[in-house]
Amino acid sequence: MKPLSSITADMADDVLFEFLHMEIVAHVYKEHATREDIDKERVTCVSTLELMGFRVGQGLIERFTKDCPTFKDDLDVMKFLCKDFWSTIFRKQIDNLRTNHQGTYVLQDNKFALLTQLSSGKQYLEEAPKYLAFSCGLIRGALSNLGLESVVTAEVSLMPSCKFQVVIQKL
Amino acid sequence: MKPLSSITADMADDVLFEFLHMEIVAHVYKEHATREDIDKERVTCVSTLELMGFRVGQGLIERFTKDCPTFKDDLDVMKFLCKDFWSTIFRKQIDNLRTNHQGTYVLQDNKFALLTQLSSGKQYLEEAPKYLAFSCGLIRGALSNLGLESVVTAEVSLMPSCKFQVVIQKL
């Protein structure tokens, strides 16, 4: 029998989440593949994945911030998200956070975990958005539970780097 | 800003996987909820989840056993599954492994991670199978990649304890 140390916990959790995420994306797209209006279905798939991410993000942030002090402002929340939240889920922090100080934030991840399994060739660029929808939802769900409603979008220009744009909705 | 230690990696990964799993189950059942033949659809949902688990199990075992020696027999494989594989995914080992030495194995987990979120009341007993299908697939996928074809079923008699029965298919 092999020693327990042959599987490290980190390695296992990384791939478990990544594999499960790939399965979800494949499943959601497959179930819509046979339907007629392809463009409309593409929107539905993105929404489905985004909503799943939203609920998971809400659940996670609820657990993570149970015993935490309140945040002093929106920027403070965003920093928490880029550092603690991100590194817990994706094993690294966001590489760059920019803001216009008017409610728009751009989070750049130079090596986004959920894109690293895809080839970096140009032909995969158009495939990339479907692997980002869940994570947009994660961010939106986390922010929502911290009292900030937002619109979150993502773009990839050079794999596996990507940018998430968060626009806080003022009430 | 809160210290990074406020979120422990273990805690995060546990819930990330559990939340994602709950989302998948809910999604697969919801998409079939509106269809007509309920019994038939229930079978389809279980198969869908089982197949997702199968592929994830295949992928995981491929990573985990990359640098590992071969196993000396089927029992050796099952022990690896109960100990290393299980504790990496579910944070605890299988509590009890029994076999008839003719290819049938019963794996008992007295506190199965994916059932602990459900209430332990009797009314949830009939809900339980849908939270076990993915894990049956995980086991079958892992075994398949180790060269053993099997049929895996699960039963719950007292939540959150459950038994997985593995019957190895002799070629």
Side-chain angles (χ1 to χ4, degrees), chain A residues 1-21 23-24 26-28 30-32 35 48 51-53 55-56 58-60 63-65 68-69 71 76 79-85 87-89 91 93 117 134 138, chain B residues 1-21 23-24 26-28 30-32 35 48 51-53 55-56 58-60 63-65 68-69 71 76 79-85 87-89 91 93 117 134 138:
Chain A
M1 197 148 174
K2 275 158 290 176
L4 201 61
S5 59
S6 65
I7 308 178
T8 68
D10 274 15
M11 163 181 152
D13 293 315
D14 271 2
V15 291
L16 182 57
F17 171 56
E18 282 168 27
F19 286 167
L20 208 53
H21 179 263
E23 283 298 320
I24 295 174
H27 176 74
V28 167
K30 189 179 148 202
E31 70 182 300
H32 289 279
R35 303 197 188 165
T48 302
L51 202 60
M52 285 179 147
R55 284 187 299 255
V56 172
Q58 283 192 309
L60 288 176
R63 296 282 185 102
F64 294 171
T65 58
C68 288
F71 299 96
D76 205 27
K79 282 182 182 168
F80 171 76
L81 218 74
C82 292
K83 204 174 162 186
D84 300 56
F85 187 74
S87 56
T88 311
I89 298 175
R91 304 277 166 195
Q93 300 182 15
Q117 300 222 9
F134 180 86
L138 268 185
Chain B
M1 196 146 175
K2 275 157 290 177
L4 201 60
S5 59
S6 65
I7 308 178
T8 68
D10 275 14
M11 163 180 152
D13 293 315
D14 271 1
V15 293
L16 182 57
F17 171 56
E18 282 169 26
F19 286 168
L20 209 52
H21 178 264
E23 282 299 319
I24 295 174
H27 176 74
V28 168
K30 190 179 148 204
E31 72 183 299
H32 289 278
R35 303 196 187 165
T48 302
L51 201 60
M52 285 178 148
R55 283 186 299 255
V56 172
Q58 282 191 310
L60 289 176
R63 296 282 186 102
F64 294 171
T65 58
C68 287
F71 298 96
D76 204 28
K79 282 182 182 168
F80 171 76
L81 218 75
C82 291
K83 203 173 163 187
D84 300 56
F85 186 75
S87 58
T88 310
I89 299 175
R91 304 278 166 195
Q93 299 181 15
Q117 299 221 10
F134 180 87
L138 269 185

Side-chain angles (χ1 to χ4, degrees), chain A residues 31-84:
Chain A
E31 70 182 300
H32 289 279
T34 49
R35 303 197 188 165
E36 281 171 15
D37 189 339
I38 288 183
D39 282 344
K40 199 181 144 202
E41 289 305 333
R42 197 171 289 154
V43 173
T44 312
C45 291
V46 168
S47 312
T48 302
L49 291 168
E50 205 271 347
L51 202 60
M52 285 179 147
F54 180 81
R55 284 187 299 255
V56 172
Q58 283 192 309
L60 288 176
I61 208 74
E62 207 168 296
R63 296 282 185 102
F64 294 171
T65 58
K66 219 163 34 183
D67 313 308
C68 288
T70 48
F71 299 96
K72 71 172 196 279
D73 55 22
D74 293 2
L75 183 59
D76 205 27
V77 171
M78 293 306 300
K79 282 182 182 168
F80 171 76
L81 218 74
C82 292
K83 204 174 162 186
D84 300 56

Side-chain angles (χ1 to χ4, degrees), chain B residues 91-107:
Chain B
R91 304 278 166 195
K92 68 184 285 299
Q93 299 181 15
I94 284 286
D95 295 292
N96 191 274
L97 169 65
R98 283 182 301 146
T99 178
N100 66 354
H101 297 287
Q102 298 186 335
T104 299
Y105 297 86
V106 177
L107 291 65

Side-chain angles (χ1 to χ4, degrees), chain B residues 118-129 156-159:
Chain B
L118 301 178
S119 163
S120 55
K122 254 191 178 168
Q123 71 272 32
Y124 287 96
L125 261 185
E126 61 182 66
E127 287 283 290
V156 178
S157 48
L158 188 68
M159 299 265 273

